[in-house]
Amino acid sequence: MKLIKVSVAIYACTTMTHLNASEYHQKKISITFDDIPIHGEFTLSAESLKKINLKLLATLKKHDIKATGFVNEGHLKDNPKLLKSLLTEWQTQGHSLGNHTFSHLSYHKTDLNTYLKDIKKGSTTTQAVLGNQKQKFFRPPYLHAGETNKTQHALFQGLHQLGLSLVPVTMENADYVFDAPYTVKLKEKQVSMAGEYKKQYLTFTEARFDFYENASSKMFDTPIPHVLMLHVNQLNADSLDAILTSLKSRGYLFQSLDKTLQHPVYSQPTQAFKFGIHWLFRWDKSKSNKVNWATEPEPSSNAFVDHQQAITTLNKGKL
Ligand SMILES: [Zn+2]
């Protein structure tokens, strides 16, 4: 295991010596989506799921980007036909399909054996769609990767045995907070109110991008390739074009997760955390401590209240 890490780091360093200065300083990012077929706080119709997934795929195609999506097979356990057809769309359009457990379990509330069994179960349909290609990426639900160094290490070993690597996140934008009220307003046909939530979301996303760029330039001498985590939801289906356009105008090149994870920053160990948090925070807290994380932008308290009310409405199934 150690040997693999060292060789990855050497390979990445050797590769970098062949890059010219502008390539070396080029900003790069990989786009990832959690919760294919849908981020699961509430139930949407099969028709909505289809539309959301296809719209995300159409926008990725428009920008010529290959993304990675992490699958929750359990979300469509009652409709395996739809699950298979959605996964086939992602796969045939050249995106990579990772594992996000079958039941969206928290590792912090589950014993390792049960957790690994759930991961295996969550690969069934995906692996059938992938055919000869082997699934290789894993994203833990809630970013729960072990509360102690011991349980974190045990998870990494278990994943390694399954041929999976845990995929870190370096940028995220709390999309789920804005998505629920946005979805409610759309369903109530209050389009301009929905537009307000989308506007708030995109403003917040820019603030987060600014913060993460700043934080990573404090932590590292040159830009690191980022991994953006988005969720499969209505809000992102309708906002992805703006988000990708913003990243392009910030100077990012989009690249595959394979390429991004070759950067040595992704091989460094981190201490375990009791809460689910992105890896810029983990790396900084484990090592350099250069960033004032108290200034990381958070959604307003009103946004959280609106989110909670919207979830209640959606769960009542009134709409
Ligand atoms: Zn998830």
Side-chain angles (χ1 to χ4, degrees):
M1 185 70 174
K2 264 183 190 163
L3 274 178
I4 294 169
K5 275 187 184 166
V6 171
S7 63
V8 167
I10 289 170
Y11 171 72
C13 292
T14 323
T15 311
M16 271 190 265
T17 58
H18 295 298
L19 300 175
N20 64 36
S22 69
E23 280 172 317
Y24 194 65
H25 291 280
Q26 173 67 54
K27 292 178 177 179
K28 292 169 189 156
I29 194 162
S30 296
I31 308 297
T32 67
F33 292 90
D34 278 16
D35 303 301
I36 293 178
I38 193 75
H39 183 248
E41 285 183 278
F42 45 84
T43 312
L44 291 179
S45 67
E47 202 44 47
S48 297
L49 295 198
K50 224 172 170 175
K51 276 189 185 156
I52 288 170
N53 280 267
L54 294 185
K55 195 167 178 187
L56 287 172
L57 288 170
T59 308
L60 289 169
K61 195 173 192 177
K62 178 185 162 190
H63 288 267
D64 195 21
I65 291 169
K66 302 298 180 206
T68 301
F70 295 93
V71 183
N72 256 163
E73 294 194 4
H75 201 104
L76 274 178
K77 57 178 181 293
D78 299 330
N79 194 346
K81 213 174 140 196
L82 177 61
L83 175 68
K84 196 165 184 187
S85 85
L86 292 177
L87 294 183
T88 304
E89 283 293 339
W90 282 84
Q91 150 80 354
T92 50
Q93 295 198 31
H95 305 291
S96 176
L97 291 174
N99 186 306
H100 195 51
T101 75
F102 181 83
S103 321
H104 209 265
L105 295 180
S106 157
Y107 178 47
H108 294 182
K109 294 178 185 161
T110 317
D111 69 87
L112 181 64
N113 252 347
T114 311
Y115 193 71
L116 292 175
K117 267 188 200 154
D118 201 65
I119 293 173
K120 261 195 201 164
K121 191 177 172 189
S123 278
T124 322
T125 310
T126 313
Q127 198 50 65
V129 168
L130 289 177
N132 293 331
Q133 233 178 302
K134 179 90 182 71
Q135 188 179 43
K136 53 187 172 181
F137 298 128
F138 174 73
R139 166 82 43 76
Y142 316 102
L143 302 182
H144 285 171
E147 291 184 285
T148 65
N149 291 340
K150 199 178 159 193
T151 56
Q152 179 179 254
H153 181 69
L155 174 61
F156 284 167
Q157 281 197 318
L159 289 173
H160 184 67
Q161 275 161 15
L162 295 176
L164 295 169
S165 320
L166 188 145
V167 176
V169 173
T170 62
M171 289 187 171
E172 61 95 8
N173 58 359
D175 52 12
Y176 65 94
V177 176
F178 302 92
D179 172 63
Y182 175 76
T183 302
V184 168
K185 291 302 164 199
L186 277 190
K187 283 182 176 281
E188 289 174 345
K189 307 224 180 309
Q190 297 193 51
V191 179
S192 72
M193 286 283 281
E196 275 307 308
Y197 285 112
K198 183 176 159 189
K199 215 165 110 187
Q200 276 179 34
Y201 170 57
L202 291 174
T203 306
F204 179 74
T205 299
E206 293 302 324
R208 277 276 177 99
F209 286 166
D210 287 343
F211 181 84
Y212 295 137
E213 288 191 339
N214 218 325
S216 50
S217 70
K218 276 188 185 137
M219 292 165 61
F220 307 102
D221 297 335
T222 53
I224 59 153
H226 281 280
V227 178
L228 173 65
M229 175 181 72
L230 298 168
H231 290 89
V232 176
N233 60 32
Q234 183 68 58
L235 180 58
N236 281 329
D238 298 341
S239 309
L240 186 63
D241 192 27
I243 293 171
L244 297 177
T245 303
S246 159
L247 288 169
K248 268 186 188 164
S249 71
R250 286 170 180 267
Y252 282 94
L253 264 190
F254 299 94
Q255 68 178 17
S256 70
L257 202 47
D258 278 304
K259 228 170 171 186
T260 291
L261 297 181
Q262 282 175 12
H263 192 283
V265 76
Y266 288 96
S267 320
Q268 64 179 304
T270 65
Q271 67 185 65
F273 287 91
K274 283 192 192 307
F275 45 94
I277 184 81
H278 55 73
W279 268 252
L280 279 186
F281 179 92
R282 292 172 192 244
W283 292 328
D284 191 49
K285 286 286 174 195
S286 304
K287 217 172 168 185
S288 46
N289 233 346
K290 288 178 178 165
V291 178
N292 179 5
W293 291 100
T295 60
E296 182 174 8
E298 290 298 335
S300 66
S301 47
N302 280 347
F304 281 108
V305 171
D306 290 356
H307 165 76
Q308 212 36 61
Q309 279 175 354
I311 292 290
T312 310
T313 308
L314 286 160
N315 281 336
K316 278 182 191 158
K318 272 191 196 160
L319 297 169

